[in-house]
C-alpha cells in the first residue's frame, strides 16, 4: 500500500471514533469542490478533507496528526492568494463549521470562532448594533484576514484587524485547547497560523447602527489622466485639511459632504454613496468578486503615491487585461494603527503607507496574460521611485513564491525586524514543527 493509502486507512480508523467530524475522501463526489481554494491555479490534491464541528474535534484531529506524522493544512475562507490552505497529500482541516460569536456583557469585545467568514461575522454583529473592522469581501475568512494584518475600510477609524485582537484560544501542537498567553498573542497578532489552530479570537467591537458607503466611479475614458489627476487632488486634500479618520462614528450629513468632496477630485461618472447596512454593503461587494479565478497577486507597501508612481499605476491601468480577475486595489494605512500600539504584535509595517494589491488573476483561463501585466505593474512602481517602496510588504498579498528568492527572504520581507521574534516563538512553542504547512512558511 502507498504511504498515502496507509495514512488514509489510519485516518479512517481514527474517524470511526468521531462521527461528528465530516469526512470527504478523494473518492467522494464532494471532494473536487471541497479541495478547491479561491485561487484555482492551486492544483494540489489533499489526502482528504475533514470538517470538525467543535473545538474538541479539532483537538482530536491535531493529536491524531501529530501521533501519525501526518502533515496538514488549515482552511477557513480559502482566500489565501497563493491557495496555501491546500497542499499535496496533506490532510485539509476545514474550519468553516466553527462560526459561533459570543458578545461580552459589556459589548466591548466578542469571541469569534476560527472558521467564520467576514460577511457572516458582520451580519451577526449588526443584529446587535455592533461592528468590528473587516475587509470588503464577505467570503474571506475573518480570522485569516485579522491575524495577518487586516486592512480595510474601517481601519482608518478603528485600526487594523490585528490591533483588535485581545485574546485567543488555540489547539496547540500537542492537540490541547489552551488560552494564548501574552507572548503567544504577540505572535498571533501578525502570524497566527504558525502556532496552532485558532479556535477563537476575542476582538474589540464597537456600537454602529448606520453606514454610509458605496462606489464612486470616475470617468475611465482616459484612465491614466483620471487616476493621475485624482491622486494629485487626493494628496493635496491630505496635505491641506486632511481626511477624517473615516465616516464611521460621524453623522450621515457630514459623511455625505465628504463623499461629494472625494467625488469632485476627478471627472465623475457616478457617485453611488448612500445609506446602507454592513450586511447589504457586503452583499453588493460580494457580487463584484468572481467565484472562479486563477493567477497571482503581488504587493508593495509605498510611503506615498507621488506623481511618478501615480503615472506608473495609471499607465498600467490603461493596459490592464479586460478580465474581471485583473485588479489594482489601494489601501491606505492611516489613523490609530499607523504608529506604536498598546498591544505588541509581529505586524511589521507601522509607518503610514499605502498597501498596493496588484492582482494578476483571470476568470477565463488567461492567467499568464494577467500575471505578466501584474508583474510589469509591480516592477514599474518599484522603478518609478525605489526609495519610496518600504522594506517590508504585507504577507497576505505579497507573492512569496515569485517576489522572493527563498522562504527566508520572504519571511524577512514580510516581517522585517520581527522575523527573529517569530522564529524564537516558533522554536519555543512548536519545536517539532507540528504546524509545518503554515502562513507564513518558515522552511
Ligand atoms: C478576494 C480577496 C479579497 C481580500 N481582501 C483583503 C482586504 O481587503 N484586506 C486584507 O488585509 N486582506 C485581504 N485579502 C487577503 C486575505 O485577508 C488573506 O488571504 C487571509 O489570510 C484569507 O483568509 P482565509 O481564511 O479566507 O484564507 P485560507 O486560505 O482559508 O487561510 C489561509 C491560511 O491562514 C491560516 N489560517 C486561517 N484560519 C486559521 C485558523 N482559524 N487557525 C489557524 N490558521 C488559520 C492557515 O495557515 C491557512 O492556510 C483578500 C484576499 C482575497 C482573495
Amino acid at each position: 500500500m502507498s504511504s498515502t493509502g496507509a495514512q488514509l486507512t489510519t485516518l479512517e480508523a481514527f474517524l470511526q471514533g468521531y462521527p461528528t467530524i465530516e469526512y470527504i475522501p478523494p473518492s467522494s463526489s464532494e471532494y473536487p469542490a471541497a479541495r478547491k481554494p479561491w485561487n484555482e491555479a492551486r492544483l494540489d490534491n489533499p489526502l482528504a478533507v475533514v470538517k470538525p464541528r467543535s473545538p474538541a474535534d479539532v483537538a482530536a484531529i491535531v493529536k491524531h496528526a501529530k501521533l501519525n506524522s501526518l502533515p496538514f493544512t488549515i482552511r477557513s475562507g480559502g482566500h489565501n492568494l497563493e491557495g496555501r490552505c491546500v497542499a499535496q497529500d496533506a490532510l485539509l482541516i476545514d474550519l468553516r463549521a466553527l462560526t459561533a460569536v459570543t458578545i461580552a456583557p459589556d459589548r466591548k469585545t466578542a469571541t469569534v470562532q476560527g472558521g467564520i467568514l467576514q460577511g457572516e461575522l458582520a451580519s451577526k454583529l449588526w443584529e446587535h448594533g455592533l461592528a468590528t473592522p473587516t475587509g470588503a469581501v464577505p467570503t474571506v475568512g475573518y480570522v485569516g484576514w485579522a491575524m495577518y494584518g487586516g486592512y480595510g475600510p474601517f481601519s482608518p477609524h478603528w485600526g487594523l484587524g490585528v490591533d483588535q485582537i485581545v485574546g485567543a484560544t488555540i489547539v496547540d501542537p500537542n492537540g490541547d485547547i489552551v488560552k494564548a498567553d501574552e507572548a503567544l498573542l504577540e505572535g498571533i497578532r501578525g502570524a497566527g497560523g504558525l502556532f496552532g489552530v485558532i479556535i477563537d479570537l476575542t476582538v474589540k467591537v464597537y456600537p454602529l447602527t448606520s453606514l454610509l458607503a458605496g462606489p464612486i466611479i470616475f470617468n475611465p475614458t482616459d484612465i491614466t489622466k483620471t487616476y493621475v489627476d485624482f491622486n494629485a487632488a487626493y494628496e493635496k486634500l491630505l496635505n491641506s485639511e486632511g481626511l477624517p479618520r473615516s465616516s464611521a462614528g460621524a453623522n450621515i450629513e457630514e459623511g455625505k459632504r465628504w463623499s461629494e468632496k472625494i467625488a469632485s477630485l476627478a471627472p465623475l461618472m457616478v457617485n453611488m454613496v448612500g445609506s446602507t447596512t454592513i450586511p447589504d454593503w457586503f452583499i453588493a461587494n460580494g457580487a463584484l468578486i468572481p467565484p472562479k479565478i486563477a493567477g497571482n497577486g503581488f504587493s508593495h507597501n509605498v510611503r506615498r503615491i507621488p506623481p511618478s508612481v501615480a503615472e506608473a499605476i495609471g499607465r498600467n491601468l490603461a493596459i490592464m487585461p479586460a478580465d474581471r480577475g485583473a485588479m489594482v486595489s489601494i489601501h491606505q494605512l492611516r489613523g490609530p494603527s499607523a504608529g506604536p500600539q498598546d498591544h505588541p504584535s509581529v505586524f511589521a509595517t507601522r509607518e503610514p503607507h499605502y498597501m498596493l494589491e496588484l492582482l494578476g488573476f483571470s476568470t477565463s483561463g488567461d492567467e499568464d496574460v494577467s500575471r505578466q501585466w501584474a508583474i510589469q505593474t509591480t516592477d514599474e512602481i518599484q522603478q518609478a521611485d525605489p526609495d519610496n517602496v518600504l522594506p517590508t510588504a504585507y504577507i497576505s498579498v505579497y507573492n512569496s513564491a515569485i517576489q522572493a528568492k527563498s522562504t527566508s527572504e520572504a519571511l524577512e520581507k514580510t516581517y522585517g525586524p520581527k522575523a527573529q521574534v517569530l522564529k524564537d516563538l516558533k522554536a519555543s512553542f512548536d519545536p517539532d514543527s507540528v504546524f509545518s504547512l503554515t502562513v507564513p512558511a518558515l522552511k
Side-chain angles (χ1 to χ4, degrees), residues 38 74 76-80 95 114 141 144-145 147-148 151 198 331 394:
W38 182 76
I74 307 297
S76 49
H79 279 60
N80 173 271
L95 297 180
W145 173 85
M147 70 184 177
Y148 293 116
Y151 293 77
I198 312 276
H331 296 256
Y394 181 37

Side-chain angles (χ1 to χ4, degrees), residues 79-99:
H79 279 60
N80 173 271
L81 259 67
E82 297 173 62
R84 286 173 53 195
C85 60
V86 189
Q88 185 65 34
D89 296 334
L91 179 66
L92 195 167
I93 306 174
D94 183 334
L95 297 180
R96 279 176 293 174
L98 299 182
T99 60

Side-chain angles (χ1 to χ4, degrees), residues 37-38 73-81 83-86 95 113-118 134-137 139-153 192-194 196-199 289 327 329 331 355 357 359 394 396-397 435 437-440:
W38 182 76
T73 59
I74 307 297
R75 177 203 165 119
S76 49
H79 279 60
N80 173 271
L81 259 67
R84 286 173 53 195
C85 60
V86 189
L95 297 180
Q113 278 194 325
I116 200 165
L117 306 181
Q118 298 197 112
T134 59
V137 175
T139 44
V140 170
Y142 170 73
V143 165
W145 173 85
M147 70 184 177
Y148 293 116
Y151 293 77
L194 207 49
V197 184
I198 312 276
I199 292 297
I289 300 300
M327 288 173 259
S329 171
H331 296 256
M355 188 274 283
E357 295 186 48
L359 303 180
Y394 181 37
S396 286
V397 191
F435 291 85
L437 298 170
T438 54
V439 176

Side-chain angles (χ1 to χ4, degrees), residues 132 213 284 296 300 343 397:
T132 194
N296 297 100
H300 281 310
H343 299 298
V397 191

Side-chain angles (χ1 to χ4, degrees), residues 192-212:
L194 207 49
F195 307 106
V197 184
I198 312 276
I199 292 297
D200 59 53
L201 291 180
T202 300
V203 296
K204 297 177 194 168
V205 296
Y206 309 89
L208 189 75
T209 51
S210 62
L211 181 76
L212 192 66

Side-chain angles (χ1 to χ4, degrees), residues 34-392:
R35 62 153 283 283
K36 242 182 226 168
W38 182 76
N39 184 352
E40 295 195 350
R42 183 83 171 197
L43 298 174
D44 297 30
N45 285 309
L47 177 76
V49 180
V50 285
K51 292 189 176 177
R53 303 254 164 236
S54 67
D57 284 351
V58 179
I61 295 168
V62 171
K63 276 198 168 88
H64 169 82
K66 183 179 181 189
L67 189 67
N68 294 281
S69 304
L70 174 62
F72 59 90
T73 59
I74 307 297
R75 177 203 165 119
S76 49
H79 279 60
N80 173 271
L81 259 67
E82 297 173 62
R84 286 173 53 195
C85 60
V86 189
Q88 185 65 34
D89 296 334
L91 179 66
L92 195 167
I93 306 174
D94 183 334
L95 297 180
R96 279 176 293 174
L98 299 182
T99 60
V101 175
T102 310
I103 296 166
D106 67 2
R107 293 170 51 85
K108 290 191 172 153
T109 59
T111 298
V112 175
Q113 278 194 325
I116 200 165
L117 306 181
Q118 298 197 112
E120 293 172 331
L121 171 62
S123 292
K124 288 189 182 183
L125 291 177
W126 191 259
E127 281 169 21
H128 296 272
L130 294 169
T132 194
T134 59
V137 175
T139 44
V140 170
Y142 170 73
V143 165
W145 173 85
M147 70 184 177
Y148 293 116
Y151 293 77
F154 302 97
S155 300
H157 188 67
W158 288 320
L160 291 169
V162 79
D163 294 325
Q164 313 307 316
I165 300 172
V166 294
T169 310
I170 73 162
V171 169
D172 74 6
N174 295 319
D176 293 330
I177 300 173
V178 297
K179 291 273 176 214
D181 62 11
E182 282 305 319
L184 192 55
L185 275 177
E186 177 175 1
I188 287 174
R189 293 192 194 100
L194 207 49
F195 307 106
V197 184
I198 312 276
I199 292 297
D200 59 53
L201 291 180
T202 300
V203 296
K204 297 177 194 168
V205 296
Y206 309 89
L208 189 75
T209 51
S210 62
L211 181 76
L212 192 66
I216 298 174
I217 303 174
F218 295 103
N219 189 335
T221 311
D222 182 347
I223 196 165
T224 306
K225 182 170 174 1
T226 295
Y227 176 69
V228 169
D229 288 354
F230 171 84
N231 182 67
Y234 182 74
E235 285 274 310
K236 197 169 156 199
L237 184 66
L238 286 180
N239 293 332
S240 53
E241 55 190 301
L243 284 184
R245 271 165 55 170
S246 88
S247 58
N251 69 47
I252 291 289
E253 285 314 310
E254 190 192 343
K256 281 187 182 151
R257 275 197 299 281
W258 273 101
S259 92
E260 280 157 21
K261 197 174 283 194
I262 299 289
S264 72
L265 298 182
L268 183 69
M269 247 171 71
V270 57
N271 177 356
M272 293 163 72
V273 172
S275 288
T276 183
T277 64
I278 294 187
D280 284 349
W281 172 75
F282 261 127
I283 290 169
N285 298 340
L288 299 174
I289 300 300
K292 283 179 162 202
I293 206 155
N296 297 100
F298 301 86
S299 186
H300 281 310
N301 284 330
V302 294
R303 291 187 174 86
R304 294 181 46 245
I305 305 188
S308 60
V309 172
E311 272 154 31
I313 295 173
R315 214 168 38 240
N316 284 288
L317 285 176
I319 55 166
M320 181 160 70
D323 190 309
R324 283 174 67 206
M327 288 173 259
V328 172
S329 171
I330 301 178
H331 296 256
Q332 187 178 13
L333 184 72
R334 58 189 174 92
S337 286
Q341 300 297 304
D342 296 340
H343 299 298
S345 79
V346 294
F347 180 80
T349 318
R350 287 296 181 181
E351 68 180 273
H353 65 269
Y354 294 89
M355 188 274 283
L356 310 180
E357 295 186 48
L358 309 155
L359 303 180
F361 290 91
S362 172
T363 57
S364 56
D366 280 341
E367 59 256 37
D368 288 346
V369 175
S370 288
R371 183 186 303 109
Q372 278 318 316
W373 165 80
I375 289 173
Q376 174 181 315
T377 310
T378 309
D379 289 348
E380 288 188 17
I381 291 168
Q382 166 88 36
Q383 286 152 14
D385 192 350
D387 294 339
N388 185 42
V389 176
L390 286 167
T392 45

